[in-house]
Amino acid sequence: MKITDAKVIVTCPGRNFVTVKIVTEDGLYGIGDATLNGREKAVVSFLEDYVLPMLIGRDARRIEDIWQYLYRGVYWRRGPVGMTALAGVDVALWDIKAKAANMPLYQLLGGRSRDRIMTYTHANGSDLESTLKAVEKAQAKGYKAIRIQCGVPGIDKVYGVSKGGKRYEPADGDLPTEESWSTHKYLNFVPSVFEAVRREFGPDVHLLHDVHHRLTPIEAARLGKALEPYHLFWLEDCTPAENQEAFRLIRQHTTTPLAVGEVFNSLHDCRTLIQEQLIDYIRSTIVHAGGITHLRRLADFASIYSVQTGFHGATDLSPVCMGAALHFDYWVPNFGIQEHMAHSDEMESVFTRAYRFDDGHFVPGETPGHGVDIDEAEAAKYPYKRACLPVNRLEDGTLWNW
Ligand code: CS2
Ligand code: MG
């Protein structure tokens, strides 16, 4: 089954998405997401100038060999740009293989391990009152797990909180906009938010929170401890994780479950975190970590150490990634939860989807392949528009982690 064509489709129906499309000699094709938020064109160049020409004439059935060729075979391994490009190719090939077998992708992976996939959504507000309203709305939609982000009194613009009643989209400027941060104000305030949410909504709903890399390890330990009475499902990215050993300190102090890894692109980024059981959930997902082929290895490794998956699923991961992720979630034995931030109607008009939402859960659908397709005519209506992720500064002007 020779590959005869491979191309990249870039579209911006409200935000930029990069899609790899691979076509074989018998007319079967597959697509994969290769979107790297705020750096989309770097991946497009990587694919168009280097990777895609190498695919022509290869046997599309040899997914593993192609993966090794593009990983082991290039001198410059890993990195977000390379691993996102590799993921786009890998998912397109799995899509083709599953279509050729006339099976939904999860069947090829080993069949389903569960009936439905629990997903969490976001509830955010500029103050406590609007945050509580957002939680109520999320529950009304059926979500059983809700990520809570709330504006902090005295801080102007905070991560995860939408501005002016608009949908939350982090890449909000042609050049990076600036947010501000005060650890002191945040740490004093945030436990009271979770106290209020538990008081209002009771013990059943799963609560999550994303610190988005803002704290030092000892500050993260303090927060984890302070949140223990509110039984979080997880506390995410409480400190930057380049230094994996930093999590030893946090772990010694708190039983709040920890999730890390949406910015990781390989198993090597989280080997210590997993092996020493310093985290509970691994967030790395298909599009940024080398596709299904690599994620399968990562998840199997994590399962030995009782670490569960919790795939990143913000809007900057396209419906193509969501479709592939849901097939993976259906199969993977050590599944934890799947993030879901709804795409807009405009975004959904470009991608047809077999996956379905029902009562806080998803199912991937029974369409052969991963069940997501791109309408190229619709995609062409929305040309690329540069959009960058914000940067973050402390109140004295020091550049900080966003
Ligand atoms: C996030 C994202 O969903 C999450 O947990 O951390 O909002 C993240 O900021 C964006 O995906 C960045 O592109
Ligand atoms: Mg996050």
Side-chain angles (χ1 to χ4, degrees), residues 37 147 159 210 212 236 262 283 312 314 316 339 389 402:
N37 201 3
R147 184 188 97 154
Y159 162 79
D210 192 348
H212 226 260
E236 181 185 340
E262 67 181 41
R283 296 266 297 140
H312 187 200
D316 44 290
E339 181 179 15
L389 291 169
W402 180 73

Side-chain angles (χ1 to χ4, degrees), residues 79-278:
V81 174
M83 293 302 272
T84 301
L86 182 44
V89 171
D90 184 75
V91 170
L93 294 175
W94 277 101
D95 193 24
I96 291 173
K97 197 181 253 311
K99 283 176 177 170
N102 199 27
M103 284 180 187
L105 177 56
Y106 75 83
Q107 291 290 9
L108 270 193
L109 294 172
R112 68 185 173 89
S113 300
R114 53 196 51 80
D115 301 331
R116 53 188 194 156
I117 297 155
M118 183 163 78
T119 50
Y120 72 91
T121 191
H122 295 193
N124 70 76
S126 53
D127 55 17
L128 184 58
E129 203 191 323
S130 53
T131 305
L132 294 176
K133 281 217 177 85
V135 176
E136 201 181 318
K137 257 171 93 179
Q139 273 200 324
K141 286 184 187 152
Y143 286 99
K144 315 290 178 235
I146 304 174
R147 184 188 97 154
I148 289 163
Q149 307 294 135
C150 180
V152 177
I155 310 185
D156 203 19
K157 281 192 206 156
V158 176
Y159 162 79
V161 176
S162 37
K163 292 151 204 150
K166 286 198 223 138
R167 253 171 199 278
Y168 177 66
E169 169 52 60
D172 62 356
D174 176 45
L175 291 174
T177 56
E178 297 208 356
E179 294 181 354
S180 46
W181 186 249
S182 158
T183 296
H184 173 70
K185 289 173 184 159
Y186 168 79
L187 282 180
N188 285 340
F189 177 68
V190 84
S192 68
V193 174
F194 284 88
E195 187 192 0
V197 173
R198 277 290 177 226
R199 206 185 319 117
E200 192 91 7
F201 299 94
D204 275 355
V205 56
H206 296 298
L207 302 180
L208 301 86
H209 180 63
D210 192 348
V211 185
H212 226 260
H213 322 277
R214 301 295 201 266
L215 303 177
T216 64
I218 197 67
E219 290 162 353
R222 171 181 153 193
L223 178 62
K225 226 171 165 174
L227 293 176
E228 277 172 22
Y230 316 115
H231 301 144
L232 264 60
F233 187 95
W234 79 34
L235 184 66
E236 181 185 340
D237 288 337
C238 54
T239 197
E242 289 107 318
N243 177 14
Q244 298 181 47
E245 286 78 9
F247 279 75
R248 289 183 190 140
L249 187 145
I250 304 168
R251 207 58 163 171
Q252 280 163 19
H253 290 285
T254 180
T255 55
T256 294
L258 303 175
V260 173
E262 67 181 41
V263 297
F264 294 164
N265 49 73
S266 127
L267 170 49
H268 301 288
D269 296 327
C270 45
R271 195 154 47 84
T272 303
L273 287 172
I274 292 174
Q275 220 159 12
E276 293 189 20
Q277 297 182 292
L278 302 178

